[in-house]
Structures are given as structure tokens and as C-alpha cells.
Short mmCIF file of all heavy atoms in Angstrom, two decimals:
data_model
loop_
_atom_site.label_atom_id
_atom_site.label_comp_id
_atom_site.label_asym_id
_atom_site.label_seq_id
_atom_site.Cartn_x
_atom_site.Cartn_y
_atom_site.Cartn_z
N MET A 1430 27.12 -179.02 138.36
CA MET A 1430 26.65 -178.22 139.46
C MET A 1430 26.56 -176.79 139.21
O MET A 1430 25.80 -175.99 139.90
CB MET A 1430 27.65 -178.46 140.65
CG MET A 1430 27.25 -177.97 141.98
SD MET A 1430 26.00 -178.97 142.63
CE MET A 1430 25.99 -178.40 144.24
N SER A 1431 27.28 -176.27 138.22
CA SER A 1431 27.29 -174.98 137.73
C SER A 1431 25.75 -174.49 137.39
O SER A 1431 25.50 -173.27 137.37
CB SER A 1431 28.34 -174.63 136.62
OG SER A 1431 27.83 -175.27 135.37
N ASP A 1432 24.92 -175.36 137.03
CA ASP A 1432 23.65 -174.87 136.71
C ASP A 1432 22.81 -174.67 137.85
O ASP A 1432 21.62 -174.30 137.78
CB ASP A 1432 22.93 -175.87 135.72
CG ASP A 1432 22.75 -177.34 136.26
OD1 ASP A 1432 23.53 -177.59 137.30
OD2 ASP A 1432 22.05 -178.06 135.83
N ARG A 1433 23.29 -174.87 139.08
CA ARG A 1433 22.57 -174.70 140.38
C ARG A 1433 23.18 -173.63 141.29
O ARG A 1433 23.09 -173.73 142.41
CB ARG A 1433 22.37 -176.01 140.96
CG ARG A 1433 21.57 -177.10 140.24
CD ARG A 1433 21.44 -178.31 141.04
NE ARG A 1433 20.46 -179.07 140.25
CZ ARG A 1433 19.49 -179.61 140.74
NH1 ARG A 1433 19.11 -179.43 142.04
NH2 ARG A 1433 18.60 -180.42 140.09
N LYS A 1434 23.92 -172.66 140.67
CA LYS A 1434 24.58 -171.72 141.45
C LYS A 1434 23.66 -170.96 142.30
O LYS A 1434 23.94 -170.71 143.61
CB LYS A 1434 25.27 -170.57 140.47
CG LYS A 1434 26.39 -171.16 139.80
CD LYS A 1434 27.05 -170.02 139.09
CE LYS A 1434 26.64 -169.84 137.71
NZ LYS A 1434 27.27 -168.98 136.90
N GLY A 1435 22.48 -170.64 141.96
CA GLY A 1435 21.61 -169.79 142.77
C GLY A 1435 20.62 -170.54 143.65
O GLY A 1435 19.79 -170.02 144.35
N LEU A 1436 20.58 -171.95 143.55
CA LEU A 1436 19.58 -172.77 144.20
C LEU A 1436 19.65 -172.59 145.71
O LEU A 1436 18.65 -172.45 146.43
CB LEU A 1436 19.73 -174.17 143.85
CG LEU A 1436 18.89 -175.08 144.51
CD1 LEU A 1436 17.33 -174.81 144.03
CD2 LEU A 1436 19.10 -176.60 144.17
N SER A 1437 20.91 -172.51 146.32
CA SER A 1437 21.06 -172.35 147.81
C SER A 1437 20.44 -171.03 148.20
O SER A 1437 19.69 -171.05 149.28
CB SER A 1437 22.54 -172.38 148.07
OG SER A 1437 22.77 -172.17 149.49
N ASP A 1438 20.67 -169.97 147.46
CA ASP A 1438 20.04 -168.73 147.82
C ASP A 1438 18.55 -168.74 147.74
O ASP A 1438 17.81 -168.19 148.55
CB ASP A 1438 20.64 -167.66 146.99
CG ASP A 1438 22.08 -167.14 147.39
OD1 ASP A 1438 22.41 -167.42 148.49
OD2 ASP A 1438 22.79 -166.73 146.40
N LYS A 1439 18.08 -169.42 146.74
CA LYS A 1439 16.59 -169.55 146.55
C LYS A 1439 15.89 -170.30 147.74
O LYS A 1439 14.82 -169.82 148.14
CB LYS A 1439 16.22 -170.23 145.24
CG LYS A 1439 16.58 -169.35 144.07
CD LYS A 1439 16.12 -170.13 142.73
CE LYS A 1439 16.57 -169.35 141.57
NZ LYS A 1439 16.34 -170.18 140.33
N VAL A 1440 16.61 -171.36 148.10
CA VAL A 1440 15.99 -172.17 149.25
C VAL A 1440 16.07 -171.23 150.53
O VAL A 1440 15.05 -171.34 151.29
CB VAL A 1440 16.82 -173.41 149.37
CG1 VAL A 1440 16.43 -174.15 150.66
CG2 VAL A 1440 16.57 -174.28 148.28
N LYS A 1441 17.22 -170.69 150.77
CA LYS A 1441 17.31 -169.82 151.96
C LYS A 1441 16.26 -168.75 151.94
O LYS A 1441 15.65 -168.36 152.99
CB LYS A 1441 18.67 -169.22 152.12
CG LYS A 1441 19.82 -170.18 152.40
CD LYS A 1441 21.10 -169.46 152.40
CE LYS A 1441 22.28 -170.42 152.53
NZ LYS A 1441 23.64 -169.75 152.39
N GLY A 1442 16.11 -168.15 150.73
CA GLY A 1442 15.08 -167.08 150.60
C GLY A 1442 13.74 -167.54 150.93
O GLY A 1442 12.92 -166.93 151.65
N ALA A 1443 13.37 -168.75 150.40
CA ALA A 1443 11.99 -169.28 150.73
C ALA A 1443 11.86 -169.58 152.24
O ALA A 1443 10.73 -169.37 152.72
CB ALA A 1443 11.75 -170.69 149.82
N VAL A 1444 12.89 -170.11 152.87
CA VAL A 1444 12.73 -170.36 154.28
C VAL A 1444 12.66 -169.13 155.07
O VAL A 1444 11.68 -168.95 155.93
CB VAL A 1444 14.04 -171.15 154.78
CG1 VAL A 1444 14.07 -171.27 156.28
CG2 VAL A 1444 14.09 -172.58 154.14
N SER A 1445 13.36 -168.11 154.64
CA SER A 1445 13.30 -166.81 155.41
C SER A 1445 11.87 -166.11 155.23
O SER A 1445 11.27 -165.64 156.14
CB SER A 1445 14.35 -165.80 154.88
OG SER A 1445 15.64 -166.18 155.31
N LYS A 1446 11.42 -166.22 154.02
CA LYS A 1446 10.02 -165.71 153.71
C LYS A 1446 8.97 -166.49 154.45
O LYS A 1446 8.14 -165.75 155.02
CB LYS A 1446 9.79 -165.78 152.26
CG LYS A 1446 10.46 -164.65 151.41
CD LYS A 1446 10.30 -164.75 149.96
CE LYS A 1446 8.94 -164.81 149.53
NZ LYS A 1446 8.69 -164.85 148.00
N THR A 1447 9.09 -167.79 154.57
CA THR A 1447 8.06 -168.56 155.33
C THR A 1447 8.19 -168.24 156.84
O THR A 1447 7.22 -168.02 157.52
CB THR A 1447 8.28 -170.01 155.15
OG1 THR A 1447 8.22 -170.32 153.68
CG2 THR A 1447 7.34 -170.82 155.80
N LYS A 1448 9.34 -168.25 157.34
CA LYS A 1448 9.60 -167.81 158.75
C LYS A 1448 9.12 -166.43 159.01
O LYS A 1448 8.43 -166.24 160.20
CB LYS A 1448 11.11 -167.90 159.07
CG LYS A 1448 11.43 -167.70 160.56
CD LYS A 1448 12.91 -167.93 160.80
CE LYS A 1448 13.69 -166.89 160.24
NZ LYS A 1448 15.17 -166.94 160.65
N GLY A 1449 9.34 -165.52 158.16
CA GLY A 1449 8.80 -164.19 158.32
C GLY A 1449 7.34 -164.08 158.33
O GLY A 1449 6.80 -163.37 159.13
N GLU A 1450 6.68 -164.81 157.50
CA GLU A 1450 5.23 -164.78 157.33
C GLU A 1450 4.72 -165.44 158.72
O GLU A 1450 3.64 -164.86 159.16
CB GLU A 1450 4.70 -165.64 156.22
CG GLU A 1450 3.24 -165.69 156.00
CD GLU A 1450 2.68 -164.30 155.71
OE1 GLU A 1450 3.39 -163.46 155.13
OE2 GLU A 1450 1.56 -164.06 156.19
N VAL A 1451 5.23 -166.40 159.25
CA VAL A 1451 4.77 -167.04 160.48
C VAL A 1451 4.92 -166.08 161.54
O VAL A 1451 3.93 -165.80 162.41
CB VAL A 1451 5.50 -168.38 160.81
CG1 VAL A 1451 5.27 -168.79 162.15
CG2 VAL A 1451 5.18 -169.33 159.74
N LYS A 1452 6.08 -165.32 161.73
CA LYS A 1452 6.32 -164.39 162.74
C LYS A 1452 5.29 -163.24 162.63
O LYS A 1452 4.75 -162.70 163.65
CB LYS A 1452 7.68 -163.86 162.80
CG LYS A 1452 8.79 -164.77 163.27
CD LYS A 1452 10.15 -164.10 163.15
CE LYS A 1452 11.24 -165.00 163.70
NZ LYS A 1452 12.50 -164.34 163.57
N ASP A 1453 5.07 -162.75 161.42
CA ASP A 1453 4.10 -161.70 161.10
C ASP A 1453 2.78 -162.06 161.60
O ASP A 1453 2.02 -161.23 162.15
CB ASP A 1453 4.23 -161.25 159.65
CG ASP A 1453 3.46 -160.05 159.33
OD1 ASP A 1453 3.14 -159.34 160.26
OD2 ASP A 1453 3.22 -159.81 158.15
N GLN A 1454 2.36 -163.33 161.17
CA GLN A 1454 0.91 -163.76 161.64
C GLN A 1454 0.79 -163.87 163.10
O GLN A 1454 -0.31 -163.50 163.74
CB GLN A 1454 0.55 -165.00 160.77
CG GLN A 1454 0.43 -164.81 159.33
CD GLN A 1454 -0.71 -163.66 158.98
OE1 GLN A 1454 -1.68 -163.76 159.54
NE2 GLN A 1454 -0.51 -162.99 157.94
N ILE A 1455 1.76 -164.46 163.74
CA ILE A 1455 1.68 -164.68 165.21
C ILE A 1455 1.76 -163.40 165.86
O ILE A 1455 1.00 -163.15 166.81
CB ILE A 1455 2.89 -165.57 165.61
CG1 ILE A 1455 2.68 -167.03 165.20
CG2 ILE A 1455 2.98 -165.61 167.16
CD1 ILE A 1455 3.82 -167.93 165.54
N GLY A 1456 2.63 -162.50 165.41
CA GLY A 1456 2.57 -161.13 166.02
C GLY A 1456 1.27 -160.33 165.93
O GLY A 1456 0.91 -159.63 166.73
N ASN A 1457 0.67 -160.55 164.71
CA ASN A 1457 -0.69 -159.99 164.49
C ASN A 1457 -1.73 -160.57 165.44
O ASN A 1457 -2.50 -159.78 165.93
CB ASN A 1457 -1.08 -160.20 163.02
CG ASN A 1457 -2.37 -159.47 162.58
OD1 ASN A 1457 -2.54 -158.36 163.13
ND2 ASN A 1457 -3.14 -160.03 161.75
N ALA A 1458 -1.54 -161.96 165.67
CA ALA A 1458 -2.69 -162.57 166.53
C ALA A 1458 -2.43 -162.11 168.00
O ALA A 1458 -3.38 -161.93 168.71
CB ALA A 1458 -2.47 -164.10 166.40
N LYS A 1459 -1.20 -161.91 168.34
CA LYS A 1459 -0.87 -161.61 169.73
C LYS A 1459 -0.85 -160.09 169.99
O LYS A 1459 -0.51 -159.68 171.07
CB LYS A 1459 0.52 -162.32 170.06
CG LYS A 1459 0.43 -163.83 170.13
CD LYS A 1459 1.86 -164.26 170.41
CE LYS A 1459 2.02 -164.81 171.83
NZ LYS A 1459 3.26 -165.28 172.15
N ASP A 1460 -1.08 -159.36 168.90
CA ASP A 1460 -0.88 -157.87 169.01
C ASP A 1460 0.50 -157.52 169.39
O ASP A 1460 0.64 -156.64 170.29
CB ASP A 1460 -2.00 -157.33 169.86
CG ASP A 1460 -2.17 -155.74 169.59
OD1 ASP A 1460 -1.94 -155.33 168.40
OD2 ASP A 1460 -2.63 -155.07 170.50
N ASP A 1461 1.51 -158.17 168.85
CA ASP A 1461 2.92 -157.93 169.24
C ASP A 1461 3.55 -157.32 168.09
O ASP A 1461 4.05 -157.89 166.99
CB ASP A 1461 3.57 -159.31 169.58
CG ASP A 1461 5.01 -159.13 170.05
OD1 ASP A 1461 5.67 -158.04 169.77
OD2 ASP A 1461 5.48 -160.07 170.47
N GLN A 1462 3.74 -156.04 168.10
CA GLN A 1462 4.26 -155.07 167.02
C GLN A 1462 5.67 -155.48 166.77
O GLN A 1462 6.10 -155.54 165.52
CB GLN A 1462 4.12 -153.67 167.34
CG GLN A 1462 4.49 -152.75 166.36
CD GLN A 1462 3.44 -152.63 165.17
OE1 GLN A 1462 2.35 -152.98 165.43
NE2 GLN A 1462 3.87 -152.23 164.01
N HIS A 1463 6.44 -155.80 167.79
CA HIS A 1463 7.83 -156.08 167.54
C HIS A 1463 8.02 -157.50 166.74
O HIS A 1463 8.86 -157.55 165.88
CB HIS A 1463 8.57 -156.22 168.90
CG HIS A 1463 9.98 -156.73 168.82
ND1 HIS A 1463 11.01 -155.87 168.45
CD2 HIS A 1463 10.60 -157.94 169.05
CE1 HIS A 1463 12.17 -156.59 168.37
NE2 HIS A 1463 11.99 -157.82 168.81
N LEU A 1464 7.24 -158.43 167.03
CA LEU A 1464 7.32 -159.62 166.32
C LEU A 1464 6.86 -159.53 164.90
O LEU A 1464 7.43 -160.08 163.99
CB LEU A 1464 6.38 -160.76 167.03
CG LEU A 1464 6.66 -162.22 166.64
CD1 LEU A 1464 7.98 -162.58 166.69
CD2 LEU A 1464 5.59 -163.07 167.39
N GLN A 1465 5.81 -158.62 164.72
CA GLN A 1465 5.36 -158.38 163.28
C GLN A 1465 6.51 -157.69 162.50
O GLN A 1465 6.79 -158.08 161.42
CB GLN A 1465 4.18 -157.49 163.35
CG GLN A 1465 2.80 -158.17 163.56
CD GLN A 1465 1.74 -157.08 163.52
OE1 GLN A 1465 1.57 -156.28 164.52
NE2 GLN A 1465 0.78 -157.38 162.56
N GLU A 1466 7.28 -156.70 163.03
CA GLU A 1466 8.26 -156.11 162.45
C GLU A 1466 9.41 -157.03 162.05
O GLU A 1466 9.91 -156.87 161.05
CB GLU A 1466 8.75 -154.92 163.22
CG GLU A 1466 7.68 -153.74 163.35
CD GLU A 1466 8.15 -152.73 164.29
OE1 GLU A 1466 9.31 -152.76 164.94
OE2 GLU A 1466 7.48 -151.76 164.51
N GLU A 1467 9.72 -157.88 163.13
CA GLU A 1467 10.72 -158.88 162.86
C GLU A 1467 10.26 -159.81 161.64
O GLU A 1467 11.18 -160.03 160.83
CB GLU A 1467 10.96 -159.81 164.10
CG GLU A 1467 12.12 -160.63 164.06
CD GLU A 1467 12.31 -161.27 165.51
OE1 GLU A 1467 12.13 -160.60 166.48
OE2 GLU A 1467 12.67 -162.40 165.40
N GLY A 1468 9.05 -160.21 161.62
CA GLY A 1468 8.61 -161.05 160.51
C GLY A 1468 8.69 -160.31 159.12
O GLY A 1468 9.04 -160.96 158.17
N LYS A 1469 8.40 -159.08 159.08
CA LYS A 1469 8.48 -158.36 157.81
C LYS A 1469 9.97 -158.16 157.40
O LYS A 1469 10.27 -158.21 156.21
CB LYS A 1469 7.98 -156.85 158.02
CG LYS A 1469 6.33 -157.02 158.13
CD LYS A 1469 5.71 -155.62 158.34
CE LYS A 1469 4.24 -155.94 158.73
NZ LYS A 1469 3.21 -155.39 158.51
N ARG A 1470 10.80 -158.15 158.40
CA ARG A 1470 12.22 -157.97 158.07
C ARG A 1470 12.72 -159.37 157.49
O ARG A 1470 13.48 -159.40 156.57
CB ARG A 1470 13.15 -157.61 159.25
CG ARG A 1470 13.22 -156.08 159.65
CD ARG A 1470 14.24 -155.76 160.51
NE ARG A 1470 14.08 -156.57 161.90
CZ ARG A 1470 13.41 -156.13 162.86
NH1 ARG A 1470 12.71 -155.06 162.86
NH2 ARG A 1470 13.42 -156.85 164.01
N ASP A 1471 12.34 -160.50 158.01
CA ASP A 1471 12.59 -161.81 157.46
C ASP A 1471 12.02 -161.99 156.10
O ASP A 1471 12.72 -162.57 155.24
CB ASP A 1471 12.02 -162.84 158.42
CG ASP A 1471 12.93 -163.00 159.73
OD1 ASP A 1471 14.09 -162.52 159.81
OD2 ASP A 1471 12.44 -163.68 160.75
N LYS A 1472 10.89 -161.45 155.85
CA LYS A 1472 10.34 -161.67 154.55
C LYS A 1472 11.14 -160.85 153.52
O LYS A 1472 11.35 -161.39 152.43
CB LYS A 1472 8.85 -161.19 154.45
CG LYS A 1472 7.89 -162.14 155.19
CD LYS A 1472 6.44 -161.84 154.88
CE LYS A 1472 5.86 -160.87 155.65
NZ LYS A 1472 4.45 -160.69 155.52
N SER A 1473 11.52 -159.69 153.87
CA SER A 1473 12.39 -158.76 152.96
C SER A 1473 13.60 -159.48 152.73
O SER A 1473 14.18 -159.57 151.58
CB SER A 1473 12.50 -157.51 153.65
OG SER A 1473 11.30 -156.66 153.73
N LYS A 1474 14.26 -160.01 153.77
CA LYS A 1474 15.55 -160.67 153.57
C LYS A 1474 15.27 -161.93 152.59
O LYS A 1474 16.19 -162.10 151.79
CB LYS A 1474 16.02 -161.24 154.94
CG LYS A 1474 17.27 -162.08 155.00
CD LYS A 1474 17.66 -162.57 156.34
CE LYS A 1474 18.74 -163.46 156.39
NZ LYS A 1474 19.11 -164.04 157.69
N GLY A 1475 14.25 -162.60 152.79
CA GLY A 1475 13.97 -163.72 151.95
C GLY A 1475 13.74 -163.34 150.41
O GLY A 1475 14.29 -163.96 149.62
N GLU A 1476 13.11 -162.29 150.23
CA GLU A 1476 12.95 -161.76 148.87
C GLU A 1476 14.36 -161.31 148.39
O GLU A 1476 14.54 -161.74 147.10
CB GLU A 1476 11.99 -160.60 148.95
CG GLU A 1476 10.54 -161.04 149.24
CD GLU A 1476 9.58 -159.86 149.48
OE1 GLU A 1476 10.04 -158.70 149.34
OE2 GLU A 1476 8.48 -160.19 149.81
N TYR A 1477 15.10 -160.82 149.16
CA TYR A 1477 16.48 -160.36 148.60
C TYR A 1477 17.25 -161.60 148.22
O TYR A 1477 17.92 -161.70 147.21
CB TYR A 1477 17.23 -159.54 149.63
CG TYR A 1477 18.65 -159.33 149.24
CD1 TYR A 1477 19.00 -158.29 148.37
CD2 TYR A 1477 19.67 -160.10 149.81
CE1 TYR A 1477 20.39 -158.13 148.03
CE2 TYR A 1477 20.97 -159.90 149.49
CZ TYR A 1477 21.26 -158.88 148.57
OH TYR A 1477 22.56 -158.68 148.22
N GLN A 1478 17.15 -162.68 149.07
CA GLN A 1478 17.94 -163.89 148.81
C GLN A 1478 17.44 -164.58 147.59
O GLN A 1478 18.27 -165.11 146.83
CB GLN A 1478 17.79 -164.88 149.99
CG GLN A 1478 18.55 -164.46 151.24
CD GLN A 1478 18.40 -165.22 152.48
OE1 GLN A 1478 17.17 -165.52 152.78
NE2 GLN A 1478 19.42 -165.59 153.21
N GLU A 1479 16.18 -164.59 147.33
CA GLU A 1479 15.60 -165.21 146.14
C GLU A 1479 16.04 -164.46 144.96
O GLU A 1479 16.49 -165.06 143.92
CB GLU A 1479 14.10 -165.36 146.23
CG GLU A 1479 13.65 -166.42 147.13
CD GLU A 1479 12.19 -166.57 147.08
OE1 GLU A 1479 11.48 -165.60 146.57
OE2 GLU A 1479 11.61 -167.54 147.50
N ARG A 1480 16.07 -163.13 144.91
CA ARG A 1480 16.56 -162.30 143.82
C ARG A 1480 17.99 -162.63 143.51
O ARG A 1480 18.38 -162.61 142.44
CB ARG A 1480 16.31 -160.86 144.12
CG ARG A 1480 14.90 -160.47 143.84
CD ARG A 1480 14.68 -158.97 143.75
NE ARG A 1480 15.17 -158.24 144.94
CZ ARG A 1480 14.36 -157.93 146.08
NH1 ARG A 1480 13.00 -158.00 145.95
NH2 ARG A 1480 14.89 -157.28 147.04
N SER A 1481 18.69 -162.66 144.65
CA SER A 1481 20.20 -163.00 144.43
C SER A 1481 20.44 -164.43 143.65
O SER A 1481 21.20 -164.51 142.87
CB SER A 1481 20.84 -162.93 145.80
OG SER A 1481 22.17 -163.35 145.72
N GLY A 1482 19.65 -165.36 144.24
CA GLY A 1482 19.68 -166.69 143.56
C GLY A 1482 19.31 -166.64 142.10
O GLY A 1482 20.00 -167.26 141.25
N ASN A 1483 18.35 -165.76 141.79
CA ASN A 1483 17.96 -165.77 140.34
C ASN A 1483 19.07 -165.02 139.64
O ASN A 1483 19.17 -165.40 138.36
CB ASN A 1483 16.56 -164.91 140.28
CG ASN A 1483 15.38 -165.72 140.75
OD1 ASN A 1483 15.42 -166.98 140.76
ND2 ASN A 1483 14.42 -164.96 141.13
N LEU A 1484 19.57 -164.07 140.18
CA LEU A 1484 20.77 -163.33 139.34
C LEU A 1484 21.91 -164.34 139.17
O LEU A 1484 22.59 -164.38 138.06
CB LEU A 1484 21.17 -162.09 140.20
CG LEU A 1484 20.19 -160.89 140.09
CD1 LEU A 1484 20.81 -159.82 140.97
CD2 LEU A 1484 20.15 -160.40 138.63
N LYS A 1485 22.21 -165.14 140.18
CA LYS A 1485 23.34 -166.08 140.02
C LYS A 1485 22.97 -167.07 138.87
O LYS A 1485 23.86 -167.55 138.15
CB LYS A 1485 23.58 -166.81 141.29
CG LYS A 1485 24.27 -165.97 142.26
CD LYS A 1485 24.47 -166.76 143.58
CE LYS A 1485 25.14 -165.89 144.71
NZ LYS A 1485 25.43 -166.55 145.94
N ASP A 1486 21.74 -167.47 138.70
CA ASP A 1486 21.39 -168.53 137.77
C ASP A 1486 21.55 -167.91 136.39
O ASP A 1486 21.82 -168.57 135.45
CB ASP A 1486 19.86 -168.83 137.98
CG ASP A 1486 19.77 -169.93 139.02
OD1 ASP A 1486 20.78 -170.50 139.43
OD2 ASP A 1486 18.71 -170.20 139.46
N LYS A 1487 21.35 -166.70 136.23
CA LYS A 1487 21.42 -165.91 134.85
C LYS A 1487 22.82 -165.79 134.40
O LYS A 1487 23.10 -165.68 133.25
CB LYS A 1487 20.62 -164.54 134.95
CG LYS A 1487 19.24 -164.68 135.05
CD LYS A 1487 18.63 -163.29 135.02
CE LYS A 1487 17.07 -163.38 135.21
NZ LYS A 1487 16.40 -162.07 135.30
N ASN A 1488 23.73 -165.79 135.45
CA ASN A 1488 25.11 -165.60 135.00
C ASN A 1488 25.89 -166.83 134.69
O ASN A 1488 25.69 -167.91 134.89
CB ASN A 1488 25.91 -164.72 136.06
CG ASN A 1488 25.38 -163.43 136.20
OD1 ASN A 1488 25.04 -162.80 135.23
ND2 ASN A 1488 25.54 -162.88 137.44
#
């Protein structure tokens, strides 16, 4: 199991990025600035989680 230390973070990151992209696109379609910003925050969170998972895999 030690070879999968970062897998959980990578999966969480992918989910956050996908959720963020959906919110961003819906916000864009509805002209909802708040929803777009929330989506961008989720995408950033997802990118951070994926990077964290990659770092854990390297250690």
C-alpha cells in the first residue's frame, strides 16, 4: 500500500477540478459571477491536491 500514498489526494484533486470546471461553466452560462469564482476556487484546490499526491508518491 505504500506505493499508493498519494493516490487518495490525486483522486480528490481530480474530483475537485471536475466539480470546479462544471461550476465555472454553469456560472458562465447563467452569467453568475459568484458561481464562476467558486468553480475557479475548486479547480485551484484540485490542482493543489493533485500536486500534494504527486509529492507523496515521490517520497
Side-chain angles (χ1 to χ4, degrees):
M1430 190 74 165
S1431 64
D1432 61 340
R1433 295 181 174 235
K1434 288 187 264 184
L1436 183 61
S1437 175
D1438 286 333
K1439 289 180 185 178
V1440 171
K1441 288 177 187 176
V1444 169
S1445 291
K1446 282 173 58 175
T1447 302
K1448 182 174 73 169
E1450 183 62 30
V1451 169
K1452 285 181 180 180
D1453 190 16
Q1454 293 299 323
I1455 291 173
N1457 189 34
K1459 295 174 107 182
D1460 198 27
D1461 184 340
Q1462 188 71 24
H1463 177 73
L1464 191 57
Q1465 281 182 292
E1466 290 171 5
E1467 191 175 322
K1469 289 178 191 212
R1470 281 192 302 272
D1471 285 344
K1472 286 193 282 188
S1473 293
K1474 176 183 173 184
E1476 289 169 4
Y1477 172 79
Q1478 287 171 318
E1479 284 185 343
R1480 283 193 300 263
S1481 177
N1483 288 333
L1484 286 173
K1485 286 179 182 178
D1486 281 346
K1487 289 182 182 179
N1488 293 328

